[in-house]
Amino acid sequence: MAKKLFYLEMLLDGNRYARAKSEVLLLNIVFETASLMLNEKSGFDMKYQTGKVHNLKLAAKTIDKVVIAPNEVIDVYDYY
């Protein structure tokens, strides 16, 4: 029941949610970054860093090829 209410709220919140997926690579890169995913000198336990990397890979795989148009928002839970 709670999940149904959540989606009803999403329908009524005024946002446009990204739904389109692209099967081809898009030609324009809007944003790109790079950083160390595992860093032994960070002071954080490596097992937590490894878990973080795993979770980021899962999230990236989930939203891969989703096209977010101007004025759209993304809800990653839509793709699980």
Side-chain angles (χ1 to χ4, degrees):
M1 179 67 174
K3 191 172 187 175
K4 288 182 181 180
L5 286 176
F6 174 78
Y7 288 111
L8 179 61
E9 288 175 11
M10 283 179 59
L11 285 173
L12 302 175
D13 70 5
N15 288 320
R16 284 184 31 210
Y17 288 89
R19 300 276 187 250
K21 282 197 167 195
S22 174
E23 293 304 318
V24 296
L25 284 177
L26 301 177
L27 300 177
N28 299 320
I29 297 174
V30 176
F31 181 80
E32 187 174 48
T33 187
S35 65
L36 284 175
M37 298 302 288
L38 298 172
N39 183 355
E40 292 180 359
K41 297 178 183 179
S42 71
F44 293 101
D45 192 318
M46 291 303 290
K47 72 179 178 181
Y48 297 117
Q49 293 186 54
T50 304
K52 173 188 73 174
V53 170
H54 174 75
N55 290 338
L56 286 170
K57 286 179 180 179
L58 289 175
K61 185 177 177 182
T62 300
I63 63 171
D64 188 32
K65 298 181 182 174
V66 173
V67 178
I68 306 169
N71 299 316
E72 285 187 336
V73 296
I74 185 170
D75 180 7
V76 295
Y77 294 109
D78 279 350
Y79 300 95
Y80 281 105

